[in-house]
Amino acid sequence: MPSPITQVQPPLEFIPPDFDPLVYRGMCAVLPSWMKLRVAIADVEVENTKQLVELFQQFQAGKTRFLLAFRHPTPDDPFSLLWLLSRSVPQTARELGVSLQKPVHAHFIYDRGIPLWAGKFVGWLLPKMGCVPVKRGKADLVSLKAVRDLFANGQFPMAASPEGGTNGHNEIVSPLEPGIAQFGFWCVEDLQKAKRTETVALLPVGIQYHYITPPWRSLEQLLLDLEYDTGIRASVSPTAYLGLQDGTEPTLEQQTQLYQRLLNLGETLLTQMENYYSKYYGRSLVLPDLPADADPNARLAARLKSLLDTALRVAEEFFAIAPKGSLTDRCRRLEQAGWERIFREDLNLEALSPAERGLADRIAEEADLRIWHMRLVENFVSVTGRYVMEKPTAERFAETLLLLRNMVNRLKGEAPKPPLRLGPRRVVMTVGTPLSVSDRAEQYRANRREAVTQLTQDLQTAMESLIR
């Protein structure tokens, strides 16, 4: 959120999709300039667009319903996907001699919390683009009903990120949430009840970003700034530079030094955070019993895992929530618990006495403060500790440093900042092979949970196969 919450808020109302063709055309018109000037995407490549053209042709002919399940490494992905649908697909259709009705678009599912930090304009824009919100940490019946109806009857196909949010990594797919598979099976059920013959499919789409000119100089500057912010350096003097240059691959010695400094930065931050939770929250972080000569990356990964668990437990104890499930599951439940204390559905705020309002404000303020621990964890749920070492590319260095920048900014008490652009990028989108949901209808009728789990796992495998 842009600033600390100190007052109770009215409930978060459902924002119904309200697609406006004029707004859509306006967004498409400014998209090339926006991508180049504001999000530093200078080139777009799409692989296997023909598959998506065929699905849209079948959708518009009333033969199929589908959901575009896309990777979500960065906040810039919606712009890339809008380019895919509004430009790449129509262009390929023309080349193939396929006539598609305009607009070629999708109903995107988004997190209801996005307008809270992205601002009023985004809160207005998303429904005008036909997007539908969901609350991630609860069974949001109004939103789920809207998604279900759009999947079966909407003007466009659906689109959503099965990862549930950005993970900051080009080459790691976070564990997928089962909701996307469940939406697919619900659509099959709804079509069968209506005696309709359309098939239902999930279409995996990979998204990756590559720097056109590897920004080694910019990466070194970001590393130096973070070293200063964490106290590793008292100042950033000219002698601190390794002499890296954009577009020039570092020497083996420079690469080794850069990686060692990245490792040292991570260890420094871990030590500071471990001391913080130990001294002020009485937490004794439990680490696995690793041998003295264990790989430093394995040791760092073990410490990080323990730290993330500790941070979530601090918040969970405040909200009286049991630590259950994956880190992502725990983050979702904590977010919802915080929202329930901030955006009050159980109170008539106008009817409260001044004293009651003051107590409600106090509860909201404390909830927001505790959610801070969860926000720290959100950035690191996919960090492995070996990501850069396994493949020390400019992209992997950048992804890791940008995650650490987000953490340091939170420690400094700063509001979330726009993503840092280190240089012009090329986005590569890869359209995969559709996964039929209709073909699994019998399995779903026999064992719903097993069918959802299996489809989610198959989608995970399919999305991981799209990483280049």
Side-chain angles (χ1 to χ4, degrees):
M1 296 190 181
S3 58
I5 291 178
T6 59
Q7 294 182 320
V8 67
Q9 306 291 318
L12 284 176
E13 301 292 344
F14 174 70
I15 306 174
D18 181 26
F19 180 71
D20 188 325
L22 289 177
V23 174
Y24 168 82
R25 288 197 290 270
M27 284 296 297
C28 291
V30 303
L31 184 63
S33 298
W34 183 271
M35 290 179 69
K36 205 170 275 190
L37 300 176
R38 296 301 297 268
V39 297
I41 298 175
D43 189 27
V44 180
E45 294 181 10
V46 184
E47 299 179 10
N48 197 26
T49 319
K50 180 182 177 182
Q51 179 70 79
L52 194 48
V53 171
E54 292 174 354
L55 271 178
F56 266 101
Q57 186 180 30
Q58 295 168 18
F59 178 89
Q60 294 181 356
K63 296 179 179 179
T64 191
R65 308 292 298 185
F66 73 93
L67 182 146
L68 189 152
F70 60 89
R71 277 243 46 223
H72 202 5
T74 79
D76 301 328
D77 304 332
F79 305 113
S80 300
L81 290 161
L82 182 58
W83 184 287
L84 170 67
L85 297 178
S86 66
R87 292 177 177 267
S88 299
V89 171
Q91 179 181 339
T92 301
R94 288 192 295 270
E95 293 170 356
L96 295 172
V98 174
S99 178
L100 293 179
Q101 302 168 24
K102 294 183 179 179
V104 177
H105 191 45
H107 292 292
F108 283 80
I109 301 172
Y110 68 96
D111 171 27
R112 178 61 180 86
I114 288 177
L116 300 179
W117 57 262
K120 291 183 178 179
F121 175 74
V122 172
W124 170 85
L125 177 64
L126 289 174
K128 293 299 181 184
M129 291 294 288
C131 304
V132 57
V134 296
K135 296 177 184 176
R136 300 183 299 182
K138 64 177 291 188
D140 182 4
L141 299 182
V142 175
S143 295
L144 295 178
K145 182 179 178 181
V147 170
R148 188 166 180 168
D149 180 63
L150 283 173
F151 204 158
N153 305 303
Q155 178 183 357
F156 309 118
M158 304 300 293
S161 167
E163 294 169 279
T166 61
N167 76 353
H169 290 304
N170 261 325
E171 300 178 71
I172 295 178
V173 181
S174 298
L176 303 191
E177 299 183 1
I180 300 304
Q182 184 63 70
F183 289 153
F185 284 117
W186 280 342
C187 187
V188 171
E189 283 187 325
D190 292 342
L191 294 178
Q192 289 176 342
K193 288 178 182 177
K195 301 188 184 307
R196 288 163 55 182
T197 59
E198 297 105 310
T199 59
V200 180
L202 305 182
L203 179 70
V205 175
I207 303 180
Q208 291 177 266
Y209 298 88
H210 306 281
Y211 290 102
I212 293 175
T213 300
W216 292 108
R217 173 74 173 180
S218 302
L219 288 172
E220 183 180 17
Q221 184 61 60
L222 176 56
L223 177 59
L224 285 165
D225 292 342
L226 292 173
E227 287 174 333
Y228 171 76
D229 282 339
T230 54
I232 294 174
R233 294 183 184 276
S235 64
V236 180
S237 63
T239 58
Y241 290 91
L242 295 173
L244 302 184
Q245 297 298 323
D246 291 347
T248 301
E249 285 298 305
T251 65
L252 181 59
E253 181 181 356
Q254 288 174 324
Q255 190 179 93
T256 300
Q257 290 185 52
L258 192 66
Y259 180 71
Q260 287 300 322
R261 286 169 55 185
L262 175 63
L263 193 63
N264 184 45
L265 174 63
E267 290 176 340
T268 299
L269 278 168
L270 278 173
T271 298
Q272 292 174 348
M273 294 305 298
E274 287 166 348
N275 291 339
Y276 168 74
Y277 282 108
S278 174
K279 182 174 181 179
Y280 297 106
Y281 290 92
R283 303 289 164 166
S284 178
L285 280 73
V286 179
L287 300 177
D289 187 18
L290 296 174
D293 59 348
D295 177 11
N297 293 280
R299 192 176 297 280
L300 184 142
R303 291 174 64 190
L304 177 61
K305 181 179 179 181
S306 179
L307 175 65
L308 298 183
D309 175 71
T310 297
L312 289 181
R313 285 179 181 272
V314 166
E316 286 164 341
E317 288 187 9
F318 174 80
F319 291 112
I321 297 175
K324 181 181 178 182
S326 67
L327 291 178
T328 299
D329 294 335
R330 293 165 68 185
C331 284
R332 296 289 180 268
R333 285 199 299 275
L334 282 169
E335 181 177 60
Q336 184 57 36
W339 282 10
E340 289 172 356
R341 288 163 173 77
I342 296 169
F343 304 98
R344 299 293 292 272
E345 298 180 1
D346 59 330
L347 296 178
N348 180 354
L349 300 184
E350 295 181 0
L352 296 180
S353 68
E356 290 171 323
R357 180 66 183 241
L359 288 173
D361 289 344
R362 178 68 175 173
I363 291 168
E365 183 176 20
E366 289 185 345
D368 186 53
L369 288 172
R370 297 293 176 160
I371 287 296
W372 180 88
H373 301 280
M374 184 275 290
R375 297 296 179 205
L376 278 180
V377 174
E378 272 189 322
N379 281 333
F380 293 92
V381 293
S382 296
V383 173
T384 65
R386 303 179 60 86
Y387 187 64
V388 177
M389 184 192 71
E390 292 171 347
K391 190 177 177 182
T393 60
E395 283 78 14
R396 290 199 177 194
F397 268 108
E399 292 162 29
T400 303
L401 282 170
L402 290 174
L403 287 173
L404 292 173
R405 172 182 179 260
N406 291 343
M407 180 181 189
V408 169
N409 286 341
R410 288 192 181 278
L411 298 184
K412 290 160 60 179
E414 296 180 357
K417 292 183 177 180
L420 183 64
R421 317 297 179 190
L422 297 173
R425 296 171 295 163
R426 173 186 300 107
V427 58
V428 179
M429 288 175 280
T430 307
V431 180
T433 301
L435 299 178
S436 174
V437 185
S438 299
D439 289 348
R440 302 165 187 253
E442 190 65 36
Q443 180 189 6
Y444 182 70
R445 284 191 288 270
N447 190 321
R448 295 192 171 203
R449 179 175 294 183
E450 182 179 293
V452 169
T453 299
Q454 185 60 57
L455 179 54
T456 301
Q457 182 55 58
D458 290 347
L459 182 60
Q460 176 102 31
T461 300
M463 297 187 78
E464 289 171 350
S465 73
L466 298 178
I467 294 175
R468 301 291 185 255

